[in-house]
Amino acid sequence: MDKNEKINELARRRGFLWPAFELYGGAAGFFDYGPLGAPLKRRIEDIWRQYFVIQEGFAEIEAPTIGVEGIYQASGHLSGFSDPLTGCKECKEVYRADHLIKHIVEVPDALSNEEIYKTIQENEIGCPECGGQLTEVYEFNLMFKTMIGPGNKMTGYMRPETAQGMFINFPRLLRYFRDSLPFAAVQIGKSYRNEISPRQGVIRLREFTQAEAEIFIDPRDKTHPRFGEIRDIRMKFYSQAAQEKGVEEEMTFGEAVERGVVAHQALAYYVARTYQFLLAIGVAPDKLRFRQHKADEMAHYAADCWDAEVFLDRLGWIEIVGVADRTDYDLKAHAATSKVNLSVFVHYDQPVKRQKLVVKPDFKSLGPRFKGKAKAVGEALKALSPEELKGDMIRLTVDGEPIEIEPTLVSFESVEEEIRGEEVIPHVIEPSFGIDRILYTVLDHSYYEDAVDGESRAVLKFLPAVAPIEVAVLPLMDRKELVGPARAIVDELRRLGLRVDYDTSGSIGRRYRRNDEIGTPYDVTVDYETIEQGTVTIRDRDTMLQIKVPLAQVANTLQALLCGTIKFEAAGTILSPAKEA
RNA sequence: GCGCCGAUAGUGUAGCGGUUAUCACUAGGCGUUGCCAACGCCUAAACUCGGGUUCGAAUCCCGAUCGGCGCACCA
């Protein structure tokens, strides 16, 4: 069994990840989070909230997972997320139908499936592999489609990303943030993609959890006020240039921005925050890199894009986060489709003064003369320059009809105008996290085996902040005099909100192993000294060292250990290492 | 979607046309046990599903589902 298989087997056996619908034969691309997986996922999400909601002051919202058609017309998912496919009747190979007629039709995207098929037939296009006949063109859209309400009145789609929920709430969010930039909204939730062939467990799912932030910034100012906090962090950058050489480049974020490796401070800041977050949940720094999208890989509207990639045993480098400057693409698209202005009025520091020509047509005279056309004539006059308004006679054309007007019927003057600001469409920085992949990474990067007395020991070295079980309370033996005090400790710790497991079955060593395997950081053992001297031992998962702590301090000590405010060796009296078996 | 390979207790497995379906670990119970997967006894637990061939199928054939790998796909 390789490491990947071991982790999957452990995850299944101990209740982290289960293939969904097993009772009914299962379905590819769906997973259940079990009793340990669900809290692990929840804790990872909560740390994400710490980093991207609480510490940044962003707003978390929750939009429906089903969306109406308009959203995905605007976002491009309806057309771009769907591919016309055709297959070979002979060798069964499947092709993108539009790709096959690229050299014949200039814009295959504009054709319907029937038209593409007609083109294929008319040009006698066969299978590129074997020359066989091709099937009719059919649509494969990666979005799950559903009906809203009875009948076919309204089509709904399961959202393929959480991002759109933030974009379409832009006007409400803007008001919530008192009409000023920058601001940001985030969502953590499920997204759905009907993948053609999902594989590799939780790496490619049909239903998955995303955590996304949409940070709306002033396009003219892509600095970041808190850039100083991350300027000196050193990290490996796998830039476009570095990828050509095949070697990552280590530098500080300050250097990265100064040298133009990362487009600007705002993007660099969120790359750095992403880096900090990933380390905080236990992603191994030596198996983590940030890779810049190559020019041809980047969406056409994106200004710059960096992916966090992790090295996973057997799977290689896998993308787990994308941080992109999406410019004003999304807001412009929604503005165009919904016909709602999605710009922000940005006030200048100082109003700008400007000369402006004000033209006032004499409607009292123009009205009777031009009747219904008067308004159009007035508009045409307003568009003229001072030179054109002077002359003996003003000449203009309205609805193709030449018109002459005496200059006395128009007055105009140049006035000084104060401009206090302008309308801008914000640019969007989007960090987008695949939570399921991140959780798997934490499992992969936490797993190790060591040898204890010649026996192999499997350990998940979860950081206390993500561990699904934080403390196991274990009576040395299942005897009344030990069980009583042990239960009292369990109750106390649970009252304090700790995730506590209690186990009396089997030998003490067996129970230590069980807890090592699910990543419990600390085991509290109740023994006869608990009764005689009022102490318990606390065992550290990774070193297997034990300290002796007075009963009254157990809770405090554990809380301090879990928060990392004290070192294990300093938390109590160290006992000699476990005796040889 | 295509091709190749696979699917047996919770986990890992044996099985090659007739077995009470093998073994180990695991899990539960009782006893024992003074700190790193101890021991004894007991218990629970499986042939992925649907067809077919055959007197008889876990075993052979077909199909589906799921999984692994390669190809294609992955805004």
Side-chain angles (χ1 to χ4, degrees):
Chain A
M1 247 204 285
D2 66 23
K3 187 184 168 194
N4 185 63
E5 281 171 334
K6 279 181 183 169
I7 292 165
N8 283 323
E9 189 263 315
L10 191 158
R12 212 176 323 133
R13 186 164 42 81
R14 298 307 305 270
F16 287 95
L17 290 167
W18 292 328
F21 323 126
E22 267 187 308
L23 198 57
Y24 291 99
F30 297 96
F31 269 84
D32 290 333
Y33 284 93
L36 293 178
L40 173 60
K41 177 166 179 266
R42 177 64 51 86
R43 299 200 80 186
I44 290 172
E45 289 168 1
D46 280 344
I47 295 172
W48 193 88
R49 271 192 189 90
Q50 280 295 330
Y51 277 78
F52 289 94
V53 179
I54 295 170
Q55 290 173 24
E56 297 293 331
F58 293 169
E60 181 175 0
I61 64 168
E62 197 172 313
T65 55
I66 295 176
V68 297
E69 201 154 23
I71 301 172
Y72 303 111
Q73 267 163 14
S75 70
H77 287 98
L78 215 48
S79 54
F81 218 54
S82 135
D83 299 325
L85 300 180
T86 183
C88 172
K89 288 176 183 172
E90 304 296 324
C91 69
K92 305 292 180 198
E93 195 60 65
V94 176
Y95 300 98
R96 283 281 297 272
D98 52 338
H99 288 183
L100 294 178
I101 58 167
K102 238 188 227 164
H103 58 289
I104 298 164
V105 185
E106 273 184 33
V107 198
D109 289 2
L111 299 183
S112 71
N113 292 343
E114 290 72 27
E115 287 167 329
I116 296 176
Y117 186 54
K118 224 174 117 191
T119 310
I120 288 175
Q121 287 182 311
E122 280 167 2
N123 292 276
E124 291 176 8
I125 295 173
C127 170
E129 283 294 315
C130 71
Q133 219 186 354
L134 295 170
T135 65
E136 274 191 41
V137 175
Y138 58 94
E139 195 73 11
F140 189 84
N141 192 296
L142 255 40
M143 283 195 293
F144 286 97
K145 198 174 182 175
T146 188
M147 246 88 80
I148 298 176
N152 292 322
K153 276 190 200 149
M154 211 176 184
T155 305
Y157 294 91
M158 305 300 291
R159 65 182 179 196
E161 58 177 25
T162 61
Q164 301 305 326
M166 275 84 82
F167 292 134
I168 62 178
N169 276 305
F170 179 78
R172 294 274 182 203
L173 288 164
L174 177 61
R175 201 123 329 180
Y176 175 82
F177 282 101
R178 296 191 297 275
D179 295 311
S180 41
L181 292 174
F183 67 87
V186 316
Q187 271 197 109
I188 302 175
K190 296 277 195 165
S191 293
Y192 304 83
R193 295 179 192 184
N194 201 1
E195 297 283 354
I196 295 173
S197 73
R199 261 191 217 168
Q200 292 162 331
V202 103
I203 299 301
R204 201 136 152 246
L205 292 169
R206 289 190 165 123
E207 174 175 329
F208 57 102
T209 299
Q210 287 185 304
E212 294 189 299
E214 307 301 333
I215 302 146
F216 299 100
I217 63 171
D218 187 329
R220 300 159 309 173
D221 178 15
K222 293 192 172 180
T223 60
H224 196 284
R226 292 172 66 183
F227 187 73
E229 294 173 31
I230 56 99
R231 179 187 299 275
D232 295 327
I233 296 175
R234 291 188 78 80
M235 196 186 76
K236 278 180 189 151
F237 291 83
Y238 201 37
S239 64
Q240 288 178 3
Q243 285 168 62
E244 276 169 29
K245 288 182 228 150
V247 192
E248 292 144 44
E249 236 184 319
E250 195 180 305
M251 65 186 103
T252 64
F253 279 88
E255 285 173 62
V257 172
E258 276 150 36
R259 287 176 40 193
V261 175
V262 179
H264 48 76
Q265 282 190 4
L267 189 65
Y269 177 79
Y270 294 108
V271 169
R273 294 295 286 160
T274 300
Y275 181 66
Q276 291 175 321
F277 162 74
L278 292 174
L279 296 189
I281 58 168
V283 171
D286 55 327
K287 294 180 186 172
L288 170 65
R289 71 181 185 194
F290 279 80
R291 191 179 69 81
Q292 187 174 35
H293 276 206
K294 292 185 216 137
D296 58 346
E297 184 180 3
M298 212 156 2
H300 60 89
Y301 48 79
D304 194 5
C305 183
W306 288 79
D307 284 348
E309 296 183 330
V310 288
F311 189 81
L312 296 181
D313 219 68
R314 187 156 106 177
L315 298 175
W317 289 98
I318 297 282
E319 175 196 346
I320 55 168
V321 184
V323 187
D325 179 348
R326 299 178 59 93
T327 69
D328 55 10
Y329 175 81
D330 303 276
L331 288 178
K332 270 189 176 159
H334 282 296
T337 306
S338 67
K339 311 266 193 291
V340 174
N341 176 22
L342 298 179
S343 59
V344 180
F345 186 81
V346 179
H347 292 262
Y348 294 146
D349 293 341
Q350 292 293 321
V352 174
K353 292 201 165 104
R354 200 170 67 177
Q355 290 299 316
K356 188 187 166 192
L357 183 71
V358 178
V359 180
K360 289 182 185 159
D362 178 4
F363 279 107
K364 261 187 194 154
S365 310
L366 294 175
R369 196 196 298 184
F370 293 105
K371 307 253 159 43
K373 262 190 203 162
K375 195 179 176 196
V377 172
E379 291 303 316
L381 285 169
K382 284 182 187 173
L384 297 178
S385 66
E387 288 69 33
E388 290 169 306
L389 290 167
K390 279 174 190 164
D392 295 343
M393 205 49 114
I394 302 166
R395 283 171 239 281
L396 38 81
T397 310
V398 175
D399 292 342
E401 194 184 323
I403 288 172
E404 293 196 336
I405 293 168
E406 299 79 2
T408 51
L409 296 183
V410 188
S411 66
F412 63 92
E413 57 175 334
S414 186
V415 296
E416 191 175 71
E417 184 188 45
E418 266 198 349
I419 302 173
R420 292 162 189 282
E422 65 183 281
E423 298 268 327
V424 300
I425 298 177
H427 280 199
V428 171
I429 311 293
E430 180 193 77
S432 172
F433 292 67
I435 295 294
D436 311 86
R437 288 180 173 194
I438 289 172
L439 180 140
Y440 186 82
T441 303
V442 171
L443 285 175
D444 185 286
H445 289 187
S446 299
Y447 183 84
Y448 74 95
E449 289 169 20
D450 60 8
V452 181
D453 298 336
E455 298 258 16
S456 156
R457 180 178 81 120
V459 186
L460 285 171
K461 57 172 175 7
F462 287 146
L463 295 175
V466 300
I469 304 286
E470 294 170 288
V471 180
V473 177
L474 312 169
L476 187 61
M477 280 170 297
D478 192 5
R479 284 187 190 159
K480 213 192 283 173
E481 63 270 27
L482 297 176
V483 164
R487 292 234 72 120
I489 295 172
V490 171
D491 290 345
E492 185 191 0
L493 296 179
R494 286 188 176 155
R495 259 198 304 278
L496 292 168
L498 295 182
R499 298 155 190 271
V500 181
D501 191 33
Y502 172 74
D503 188 359
T504 60
S505 81
S507 72
I508 189 70
R510 177 184 296 274
R511 283 175 274 156
Y512 288 151
R513 290 292 183 280
R514 280 185 192 143
N515 279 289
D516 291 341
E517 198 183 42
I518 61 168
T520 307
Y522 300 107
D523 301 306
V524 173
T525 308
V526 175
D527 54 26
Y528 282 94
E529 286 180 14
T530 309
I531 299 165
E532 290 154 15
Q533 301 170 17
T535 60
V536 295
T537 63
I538 299 178
R539 170 186 179 269
D540 178 64
R541 176 195 63 209
D542 298 326
T543 61
M544 298 193 289
L545 285 175
Q546 288 184 302
I547 51 172
K548 202 189 276 193
V549 175
L551 256 180
Q553 317 239 320
V554 175
N556 283 343
T557 306
L558 284 168
Q559 282 183 316
L561 284 170
L562 291 166
C563 296
T565 50
I566 47 169
K567 281 210 167 130
F568 186 75
E569 291 80 355
T573 318
I574 301 176
L575 298 177
S576 50
K579 72 162 179 142
E580 291 294 312

